[in-house]
Structure formats: structure tokens, C-alpha cells
Amino acid sequence: MPYCEVGKTQNAVDAALNNGIQIYYRTYGHGPIKVLLITGLAGTHDSWGPQIRGLAGTDRANDDETMAVDRESDGANNEVGGIEVCSLDNRGMGRSSVPNKKSDYSTRIMAKDAIALLDHLGWKKAHVFGHSMGAMIACKMAALVPDRILSLALLNVTGGGFECCPKLDRKTLSIAIRFLKAKTPEQRAAVDLDTHYSEEYLEEFVGSDTRRVILYQEYVKGITASGMQSNHGFEGQINACWRHKMTRAEIDLIRSGGFLVSVIHGRQDVIAQINHARRLAEKLQPVARMVGFMGGI
């Protein structure tokens, strides 16, 4: 299985702290254009399925034996101008290591995990796309190594701390309670759908079934494959989100990095409020643009 041993590519101090930490990842497609996808709280590498298919033209991982045979038969010419995508499980989720201490989780630490993965892959530069907590991680990454970022896309991002708290109403309170109580893939899938999508979208028919029915089956399958998140992983990732903050110096490093930033947000996001994303985009001007769309998280 494809793993990056984080400590192997880091300096002595970071390597000592991350000894034994492994980050699970998959790559898709081939070509000179590199894209790193960083998922959000309690998400796994395969949360990006539609985006991976759209970018790489396939959702079959490069380490799949069948894919290797297909590539040999097709030849190398199809790689010209192509895109290679990498998606990972953040520490605390999926097949990556799950440290027991909260202090082993922060967006800065997880940004260094992502940088170690770039080193492991041999990628000098990449387009980086982060979602929710993953967007916080992407911000830290861009501030740490701005010379390795080709572009930065931040989907449903906030500034951390109290900004992670949703606007309290009956719906968000219900979602929070159901999320904390979810003990099975079925329960988790049901609450994830109400978190990620608008009700109108879920109730649209695609053929004879609603999107809710179709997506529910996909979510149950994905959560069953990756497994439910452990308490250590959940508490650690929540701690990372709560402690996240972008300093003025870090904002300035991103602004002077020479790459463009897209801050993308669903107007019907029930968790991350869009006004926080707008505020971040304003701080990142003139290199950032704000993109709002009808949709959820």
C-alpha cells in the first residue's frame, strides 16, 4: 500500500516528533501537471472521487495492477499535458497513523505532513486544493513553502477557532447531535448527506431515484471501506481546527508567493459561514478571488 513515512523527509526536529507517522495516499493519472487534494475533518482520500475523475480522467489509482497494464498497452504519449492527482488521508483518519495526543494535531503539523508527501512523490511544485479543515491545512502549507505552490484553492474555509462554529439553529444543532451519536456507517452517511448538500439537491430525481438514495449508498460504501474515525483521531482533528489561526505574517507570505488563490464557498453551507471566507479572501487581495455558489459544504 502507498504510504509516506513523514519523518524520513523532514529535518531533525520534525523527524523526531513524527517518527513512525505514516500518511496514506493514492495517485491517479499521469502528466506534468500535479494536483494535491487535502480533505476535511473526518474525510478520507476517496472523498474527492468526482474531482479526481474530472481532473485525471479516471478514479482508478496508479498502484492498481490493472491500471499499470493499461498504461503499458496505451503507451506513454497520453501523458503529454496530462494531470497527476494525489489525495491523502490526513493523520487521525482512514489508513494514516492516528496519534493519541491532541498536541500531535495542528493544521501546521498536518501541512508539514503534506509537504513531506510532496517530497516523497518527488513533486517540486503542485496546485493545492483544500476542503474545510483541508483548506486550513492548505493555507498553512502555502505559508510554509510558497515557492512550491502553483495555485491555491480553498473550499469552504474559515479562520479556525470560533469561526469553525456554525450559526446555531434547529437544523445545525440536530446535525451536530446526530454526528456525535453516529456509531455506524449508515448513521454517519445519513448525517453527512444533510451536512454536505442542500435539501433541494438531495431530493432531485436522477432517473428513478433521488440523489439522496444514490449518494447514501455511495457514502455507506466509502465509510465502510475506510472505517469509522477513532475518538483520538476525531478529537485531534477538532483540536487542530479550533487552534487554527493565520497570522498577518503568514497572510503576507501567501500574498507575495506569486500564485493565485481561489476562495470557494457554498452559500448553503450549514457549518462554515461564508462571511468568514469572504474576510479571508479580502485579507489575501489582490491575489485572491471570492467565488460563491449555490450549494452546501
Side-chain angles (χ1 to χ4, degrees), residues 34-296:
K34 311 299 184 182
V35 178
L36 180 67
L37 303 176
I38 308 177
T39 193
L41 176 72
T44 58
H45 68 281
D46 52 7
S47 301
W48 295 100
Q51 290 76 24
I52 290 170
R53 289 190 293 271
L55 290 166
T58 179
D59 57 5
R60 185 180 295 171
N62 290 338
D63 58 312
D64 185 300
E65 292 182 4
T66 306
M67 173 59 76
V69 172
D70 289 345
R71 288 193 62 235
E72 290 176 3
S73 62
D74 290 345
N77 291 334
N78 58 1
E79 296 182 12
V80 176
I83 299 174
E84 183 174 7
V85 179
C86 179
S87 178
L88 66 144
D89 292 347
N90 292 311
R91 62 169 63 197
M93 186 56 193
R95 298 177 181 175
S96 289
S97 297
V98 183
N100 293 336
K101 297 188 297 182
K102 285 185 180 180
S103 59
D104 287 334
Y105 296 84
S106 73
T107 51
R108 182 180 176 87
I109 289 171
M110 288 190 276
K112 290 185 176 182
D113 290 344
I115 295 167
L117 178 55
L118 290 189
D119 293 338
H120 173 79
L121 293 170
W123 291 8
K124 293 182 179 180
K125 296 187 176 186
H127 300 275
V128 178
F129 197 125
H131 171 238
S132 192
M133 181 187 75
M136 300 179 194
I137 295 168
C139 283
K140 289 291 184 181
M141 183 180 179
L144 285 167
V145 289
D147 58 316
R148 301 185 69 174
I149 309 298
L150 293 172
S151 69
L152 185 65
L154 308 173
L155 177 61
N156 295 70
V157 68
T158 73
F162 75 91
E163 293 187 10
C164 296
C165 299
K167 184 177 181 180
L168 288 180
D169 56 25
R170 184 176 297 177
K171 181 177 181 179
T172 56
L173 186 58
S174 171
I175 286 173
I177 293 172
R178 289 165 58 207
F179 184 89
L180 293 172
K181 286 185 174 181
K183 303 299 181 185
T184 67
E186 290 78 12
Q187 292 172 336
R188 175 65 189 281
V191 69
D192 276 359
L193 291 182
D194 288 331
T195 306
H196 296 165
Y197 306 97
S198 68
E199 186 174 350
E200 293 80 6
Y201 181 82
L202 290 173
E203 298 311 320
E204 287 181 1
F205 275 87
V206 179
S208 59
D209 290 322
T210 63
R211 294 186 189 276
R212 183 184 295 276
V213 171
I214 297 169
L215 288 169
Y216 175 77
Q217 295 169 347
E218 293 181 4
Y219 271 56
V220 170
K221 181 180 178 181
I223 296 169
T224 300
S226 63
M228 295 288 288
Q229 188 174 30
S230 70
N231 289 336
H232 288 306
F234 178 70
E235 292 171 3
Q237 290 190 351
I238 286 287
N239 183 60
C241 292
W242 183 254
R243 292 168 55 201
H244 174 76
K245 182 180 180 181
M246 294 298 293
T247 66
R248 171 49 62 184
E250 289 172 324
I251 292 291
D252 289 342
L253 283 168
I254 295 174
R255 291 177 61 203
S256 61
F259 51 85
L260 296 177
V261 182
S262 295
V263 181
I264 307 165
H265 211 96
R267 296 189 184 97
Q268 294 165 293
D269 187 341
V270 298
I271 303 298
Q273 298 179 56
I274 194 170
N275 57 302
H276 300 313
R278 286 199 184 102
R279 190 174 300 118
L280 177 61
E282 290 169 1
K283 290 179 181 178
L284 291 170
Q285 286 181 354
V287 300
R289 62 171 183 166
M290 180 71 202
V291 181
F293 65 95
M294 295 304 296

